[in-house]
Amino acid sequence: MPSGRYSLYDPHDDTPLGEEHFSCAPGPAGWRYTAQSFTTDGTPAGSVDLTLDSLGRPLRLHLRAGDWQIRGGALDGLTWVRTDASDPDTAHATEGHDRAHAFTGRSPAFLIATARLLRLEPGGRARLRLVALTEPVLAPRTLDQGWSLDGIESHATDSGPLTVERYTVADLETGEQHTVHLAGDVVLAAPGVELEALDTPPNQQRPGAPPLG
């Protein structure tokens, strides 16, 4: 069960945003990621609890940021409920639905989840629709991304070979592209994400389901 710590930055100007302390592992459903996030001064800022099914779909998501939270999952696309701590009776909760493939957001969990959903082979490409949950108020918006798996490399480490996947991710509205490096279920490098500590090696078995249609 890998656990460790990411530093998070604004991907546009590298302003420090805080840290995310995480653990993740395969489970009975498929794969689960849990994390607590903190501001730059160490104040608790939120949490992530994401469970994927065996096909990489978001079976259950519970995301908190400040006083806001999202509970959602895959149901005829994606369904979610957004609530505010100032509304304990959830009288003003808002429900949402979109024929999207997955959620995305600030947490590195969403990069890993998207890669597990796509299951690309080297040279493979896919386009998908995502619901982005934008901090600090977790406002949902939809976007389209293109992913390509540009290569897989093996690197020698003290604990054995480390397999690293290199993806190009494109925003299909703006044309902006960036590179993401994953080792199993750990993000090694991505815009706004820096792996600071890792207690145990990543789970590196690639899911074997067919790629997203």
Side-chain angles (χ1 to χ4, degrees):
M1 177 186 294
S3 59
R5 175 169 50 88
Y6 294 111
S7 289
L8 304 179
Y9 302 86
D10 186 306
H12 301 290
D13 62 13
D14 292 330
T15 300
L17 301 175
E19 294 185 340
E20 184 165 297
H21 297 199
F22 73 94
S23 62
C24 57
W31 180 78
R32 186 180 182 190
Y33 180 104
T34 59
Q36 300 287 327
S37 58
F38 302 87
T39 64
T40 54
D41 64 3
T43 302
S47 64
V48 183
D49 189 343
L50 173 63
T51 300
L52 307 182
D53 68 12
S54 60
L55 297 178
R57 297 171 299 192
L59 184 66
R60 183 179 65 251
L61 171 66
H62 184 195
L63 180 64
R64 291 193 303 108
D67 291 336
W68 295 93
Q69 69 173 349
I70 292 273
R71 291 183 181 270
L75 181 63
D76 190 26
L78 298 181
T79 301
W80 64 91
V81 177
R82 177 172 174 265
T83 56
D84 180 0
S86 65
D87 180 27
D89 297 326
T90 66
H92 302 289
T94 56
E95 298 182 3
H97 175 266
D98 195 285
R99 293 302 296 264
H101 298 103
F103 295 103
T104 191
R106 179 181 294 172
S107 172
F110 296 112
L111 294 172
I112 303 162
T114 301
R116 294 178 72 88
L117 176 67
L118 294 177
R119 290 163 171 76
L120 295 175
E121 295 298 330
R125 299 174 180 272
R127 173 177 177 155
L128 73 166
R129 184 177 180 88
L130 301 171
V131 173
L133 303 172
T134 308
E135 297 191 29
V137 297
L138 300 183
R141 66 183 182 92
T142 56
L143 56 88
D144 293 317
Q145 284 186 345
W147 279 60
S148 63
L149 177 53
D150 299 331
I152 300 178
E153 300 176 351
S154 181
H155 299 268
T157 71
D158 293 340
S159 57
L162 183 70
T163 301
V164 179
E165 300 173 343
R166 185 180 74 258
Y167 294 88
T168 296
V169 180
D171 184 320
L172 297 182
E173 180 180 3
T174 65
E176 181 181 1
Q177 296 186 359
H178 58 267
T179 302
V180 174
H181 290 87
L182 302 182
D185 52 4
V186 171
V187 177
L188 297 182
V193 178
E194 184 172 339
L195 180 65
E196 299 286 359
L198 184 64
D199 294 342
T200 55
N203 298 301
Q204 294 205 269
Q205 182 176 1
R206 300 192 81 217
L212 180 72

